[in-house]
């Protein structure tokens, strides 16, 4: 049997029925008659030669095993079409009047300065709005439209309507003040670490609230500001991990020491550029993405 080619409309009907749970509800969402929805699914099944929905003995259509597999592919095609439409709209708009960027506090300052210096030369008439946030708060500002572009941690999950591109990483180093008890030992076990306060960067958004990354101590102080965390580490109030670029001078000068923590050697904080699928990068925003990627 030769497999036919489904239409975009048929794929949209498939996804909508799966989302709504019934032909009738899908018809209301798409402003179609229920019979038109059923007809679209019948034609899709006939073209593909497989049963997509099991409609026997139940009022609610249930996806078959084949239907679940095809639904994933259908969603991918639909999302790709959304991206193409959004990109076309972006190209019609031309150069942005303003670019709003939210950067993770872990992004090295030197990388940010390099990108913005080049941006000023490449797009002197485009205004820039810059935010600095941590963890899920970066994603939150992109998701709610406050920022068009974000540079965030690639460890966190993203909403389905957010696209991404890797832009490198930052090395994280566990450190403490030379006067801290942990600094006196050559090597540290998990038991040693649990006995001392760990300074942990916390999230100001609901996206990753309650999720801990690299927390091992029984006692923690949670801070929303990386600069405050740095100051408390220098004051021997706890231990914690910091981005290499922020503590390198302190390590060289002896103001902080690197802790020998099992499993923490060369821990990397991956970075990615993110943007909403419905609002893809214009020329100026794409220039920034390319600049950050080129720094890798």
């Amino acid at each position: 049997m030769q497999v036919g080619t489904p239409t975009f409309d048929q794929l949209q009907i498939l996804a909508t029925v799966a989302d709504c749970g019934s032909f009738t509800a899908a018809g209301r969402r798409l402003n179609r008659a229920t019979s038109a929805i059923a007809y679209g699914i019948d034609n899709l099944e006939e073209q593909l030669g497989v049963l997509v929905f099991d409609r026997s003995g139940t009022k609610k259509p249930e996806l078959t095993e084949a239907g679940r597999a095809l639904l994933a592919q259908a969603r991918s095609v639909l999302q790709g079409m959304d991206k193409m439409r959004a990109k076309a709209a972006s190209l019609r708009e031309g150069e942005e009047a303003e670019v709003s960027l939210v950067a993770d506090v872990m992004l090295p300052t030197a990388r940010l300065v390099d990108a913005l210096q080049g941006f000023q030369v490449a797009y002197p008439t485009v205004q820039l709005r810059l935010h600095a946030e941590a963890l899920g708060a970066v994603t939150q500002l992109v998701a709610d439209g406050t920022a068009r572009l974000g540079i965030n941690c690639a460890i966190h999950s993203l909403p389905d309507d957010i696209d991404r591109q890797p832009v490198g990483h930052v090395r994280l180093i566990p450190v403490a003040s030379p006067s801290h008890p942990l600094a006196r030992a050559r090597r540290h076990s998990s038991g040693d670490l649990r006995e001392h306060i760990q300074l942990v960067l916390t999230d100001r958004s609901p996206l990753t609230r309650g999720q801990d990354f690299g927390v091992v101590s029984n006692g923690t102080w949670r801070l929303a500001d990386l600069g405050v965390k740095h100051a408390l580490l220098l004051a021997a109030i706890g231990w914690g991990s910091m981005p290499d670029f922020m503590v390198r001078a302190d390590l060289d000068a002896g103001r902080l020491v690197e802790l020998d923590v099992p499993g923490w050697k060369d821990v990397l904080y991956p970075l990615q550029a993110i943007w909403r699928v419905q609002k893809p990068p214009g020329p100026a925003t794409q220039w920034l993405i390319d600049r950050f990627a080129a720094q890798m």
Side-chain angles (χ1 to χ4, degrees):
M1 176 182 175
Q2 187 173 1
V3 177
T5 302
T7 65
F8 180 82
D9 184 63
Q10 289 169 345
L11 298 182
Q12 187 179 46
I13 290 174
L14 168 61
T16 306
V17 172
D19 290 339
C20 295
S22 73
F23 288 9
T24 302
R28 284 195 297 266
R29 178 177 292 185
L30 295 175
N31 198 25
R32 307 266 193 93
T34 303
S35 58
I37 300 298
Y39 181 74
I41 294 297
D42 288 341
N43 283 343
L44 176 65
E45 291 176 332
E46 184 178 346
Q47 281 195 319
L48 297 179
V50 296
L51 192 66
V52 176
F53 285 105
D54 182 3
R55 288 166 270 180
S56 61
T58 177
K59 293 182 179 180
K60 181 180 178 181
E62 297 288 344
L63 281 166
T64 62
E65 185 176 347
R68 286 191 293 272
L70 292 171
L71 176 62
Q73 295 296 320
R75 291 196 192 282
S76 178
V77 172
L78 293 171
Q79 188 178 58
M81 184 64 73
D82 287 341
K83 287 182 180 181
M84 187 174 74
R85 287 171 172 167
K87 188 63 178 178
S90 177
L91 292 171
R92 287 198 306 271
E93 291 174 6
E95 183 179 298
E96 308 95 312
E98 178 184 277
V99 170
S100 49
L101 167 68
V102 54
D104 193 301
V105 293
M106 295 289 191
L107 177 68
T109 305
R111 291 189 60 183
L112 180 62
V113 170
D114 168 76
L116 298 188
Q117 282 179 330
F119 182 82
Q120 187 178 44
V121 174
Y123 291 93
T125 63
V126 176
Q127 307 219 24
L128 183 88
R129 191 181 299 273
L130 178 64
H131 308 265
E133 290 289 351
L135 305 173
V138 176
T139 306
Q140 183 68 49
L141 290 190
V142 174
D144 68 20
T146 301
R148 185 160 185 172
L149 174 66
I151 305 295
N152 81 334
C153 177
I155 294 174
H156 313 306
S157 59
L158 294 175
D160 292 339
D161 63 344
I162 299 289
D163 213 342
R164 75 200 77 186
Q165 178 179 330
V167 292
H169 59 260
V170 178
R171 183 187 172 212
L172 296 181
I173 305 175
V175 297
S177 166
S179 61
H180 192 280
L182 286 173
R184 303 189 190 114
R186 279 185 166 272
R187 187 169 177 80
H188 309 87
S189 67
S190 297
D192 295 332
L193 297 171
R194 279 196 291 268
E195 294 176 3
H196 298 275
I197 291 173
Q198 182 178 358
L199 303 179
V200 180
L201 194 64
T202 193
D203 198 345
R204 288 183 281 203
S205 87
L207 291 180
T208 50
R209 185 177 297 151
Q211 298 180 31
D212 286 333
F213 304 93
V215 177
V216 297
S217 290
N218 293 325
T220 60
W221 283 18
R222 295 176 183 272
L223 314 164
D225 188 288
L226 192 61
V228 172
K229 180 179 178 180
H230 184 208
L232 294 182
L233 288 167
L234 289 169
I237 303 177
W239 70 277
S241 63
M242 290 290 286
D244 184 292
F245 75 91
M246 199 166 183
V247 296
R248 178 51 52 194
D250 297 312
L251 292 170
D252 292 342
R255 293 186 293 270
L256 291 174
V257 296
E258 182 173 354
L259 303 178
D260 189 1
V261 178
W264 279 47
K265 191 69 173 176
D266 294 325
V267 172
L268 300 180
Y269 186 91
L271 295 168
Q272 61 188 357
I274 62 171
W275 60 91
R276 293 176 64 214
V277 171
Q278 298 89 341
K279 197 70 173 176
T285 306
Q286 186 63 55
W287 188 97
L288 275 174
I289 296 171
D290 294 341
R291 184 64 165 238
F292 284 122
Q295 296 168 344
M296 292 170 61

